[in-house]
Amino acid sequence: MVNSISELELSNDRSNEEISQVALLQLSDDAAHREKSLAVAPEKAGYPDPVYVMAANIFQGIRKEKSPEKAIIKYGNEPLRFSLQSEDETFRRLSYELAFSTLKYQDILETILIDSYLFPSTTIPHHLNSLIIVMLYDFQDRKFQTRVLPDNEESISEVQEVEDLLNSFKTKLAAALARCRIKHDALSIYQILPESLRKQELRASTLPLYAWINTYKISPEEVYSNLKKKGYNQVTSILHVDDKVFAVDQHCYDVLIFPSRFKKDLINTDLFKDYKVIFQDKSRSLAVHSVKALLNMEDDILMVNTGSWYTVAHMSVLTSNNTSKIFVCGVQSQANNLDLKNLFTKMGCKNIEILGETFVNIESKDPRLQKVKVILLLPRCSGAGISNPVEFILNEHEDTDLLKDLSQGGTSEDKLQVLTQQQYELLTHAMKFAKAQAIVYCTCSTYPEENEAVVKKALEFQDHGVKVQPYRLSPPVLPLCSLKEIQLCTDKFFRVEPSELTNGCFLSVLTRERDPSEAVSVKDVLARAAAKGLLEGIELGKSSKREKKRKKSKTSLPKALAGDNYSIQLKIAEFLSQENKPLTVKSFLPQKTVAQDLASSPQVRKPSKPSSWPCRRWDRQAQLGRPRRESKVIALKPVEIVLPPVTLPFSGSPGFRAQMPAPHVFCRWTGSKVCCSSIFYFLKWEEE
């Protein structure tokens, strides 16, 4: 009896304290709401019963574990049973959002349940504790207001039982929350979160939606027209625009950007229902566009750890004009294989072949993969650059463990070490495919351990075979659209930092070093370009009679000229040695002299006006004092040329051509001015 009286007095004292605290916080309630609205979704009237059950099961699998001796709230291992079509996209999204929000505030919510004496005073079964904490988060988010159910909605008994329990503890729960906020000097529980999580939520609230156009089923012009009929206007940037707008991405010409608040409106349109436009994270589009820039007409592709099958479909769409075949590894179940084939059929994809084996179990000499020239690696990563993990998991079908890591503000050292080892093994295995000429490595992480460190280690310890050239780090093949992007890519890695416009991304391109014994002329380059349709109807003419005479005269030169040529080369070498720096321009083109290529190419146009560069005057003066036979074109020095990546619009879409961003080329010339005019002339000819 004494214990009961003392407990009653203590309860009365606490009640007075609670009332005063709640009154104090009421003055700042509006300010708290404004602060909270910037980072989390607006207040809701409650969820349907199935959403609570689904969220409780998701939370059960990703919750933070505590030692049994310290855990007051014990969670069961049995999932809650309910009947619902799991394919309902709206319910799945709401459930994941509710589970992730509960996970971020797990410690705070458990403290409120214990401080309000709901635990351990109740005798509710352990398997319902996940449902209690999930519903408590929503209860406090609604300011402890009663949920109103529609008349035609079927209720679930477990949800009704938990809701009645929380309503009976309503006052105590509100008081416990108030004490928790005062203890942390916070206007809302949002402010109790670590700063990294608060920044993540703020970015997630403004992060736009990215979607790519499936040109198998619709043209870009038709998409623009359809969107405009629905009230969407095309703009250059959607940032700080409240209206219904869309924009074309600067890096990927077939990717559209929408404000996130219009997703519910967009997802119900025929464009998205019929797989004509597909939502996907931009990092995946950057990866497939990088692969596209490295392909020739008949090159096959091997995709590893793709996550979302939409990434495979996007790669198929980009290679629709090629004869390429796309191999996808990692599909274990035959049922999943059949579902994927049906999905690809609906999307119009035909050049995809699914491999049942995991990538590490595929032999590098597999006869099916002998035409594979580019390997795309999308390894599992920590996701440290992702601002909206729920959206990313739903779109990319990633493991829900990602939610657990991001809810704690980062990945543990032990797990990061496991991930980096897996990434290293995938990259080194990809390097064993002798026929492959390029590897694209892409993650959604900002940790250098998963990005630069993995690539550099793989390059350092790669197996230098006798018959294959080693891999080297190559510059990005995507356009750099800002000074910041140029600064981030100075070491040849393509990086996108997390911001209010996009998730973080890391991308690296590895290509095999060119065999010095190989020689490719400008004619070969032009022939390859013509095969790809890049010359737009320009025919490669045959060698003219004048060219044939030149070749014949070169082959019939007397041997005595060898000594004269040698002396001329010595004089040229002396002149070049006086210059401060040699002319060095790096490229993917073979090492062949510009002079020879220009002399052998029939498509070179002569400049209409004489050049006024000093090097041209030096050439004329030198020619005046030489015999006519010495006016032959002489190779001075091998020069490599850098050409920007060529990205073509879709055929037959003149309107879409105007939407493509202009190519961005950043050149820096170093060295002597000798032969600069020739190089400039060659580059100008290449552009034309």
Side-chain angles (χ1 to χ4, degrees), residues 386-431:
I386 299 173
S387 301
N388 192 340
V390 171
E391 195 75 27
F392 187 82
I393 285 176
L394 291 175
N395 290 340
E396 305 303 323
H397 304 286
E398 290 287 341
D399 194 347
T400 54
D401 286 344
L402 184 64
L403 294 178
K404 185 175 182 179
D405 296 333
L406 296 180
S407 68
Q408 301 174 3
T411 306
S412 63
E413 290 293 335
D414 294 338
K415 186 169 184 179
L416 188 61
Q417 187 174 1
V418 173
L419 289 173
T420 54
Q421 181 61 29
Q422 294 174 353
Q423 294 155 357
Y424 174 75
E425 290 175 359
L426 286 177
L427 186 52
T428 53
H429 187 65
M431 290 180 171

Side-chain angles (χ1 to χ4, degrees), residues 356-382:
E357 308 95 316
T358 58
F359 179 58
V360 293
N361 293 329
I362 297 178
E363 295 291 336
S364 59
K365 296 183 180 180
D366 192 309
R368 298 170 295 180
L369 308 178
Q370 294 308 298
K371 292 180 64 179
V372 169
K373 299 301 181 183
V374 183
I375 301 176
L376 173 58
L377 295 180
L378 297 168
R380 183 185 174 195
C381 66
S382 64

Side-chain angles (χ1 to χ4, degrees), residues 582-605:
L583 181 62
T584 58
V585 182
K586 296 184 179 179
S587 132
F588 299 112
L589 291 181
Q591 293 186 353
K592 188 173 181 181
T593 62
V594 176
Q596 289 176 345
D597 285 341
L598 290 175
S600 61
S601 174
Q603 298 295 332
V604 177
R605 304 188 213 132

Side-chain angles (χ1 to χ4, degrees), residues 581-586 613 639-642 666-684:
K581 295 180 181 179
L583 181 62
T584 58
V585 182
K586 296 184 179 179
W613 288 26
V639 176
E640 294 180 342
I641 308 299
V642 173
F666 304 96
C667 302
R668 184 180 67 178
W669 297 95
T670 60
S672 63
K673 296 183 179 179
V674 179
C675 299
C676 285
S677 61
S678 299
I679 296 172
F680 174 82
Y681 175 63
F682 181 74
L683 283 176
K684 184 66 177 177

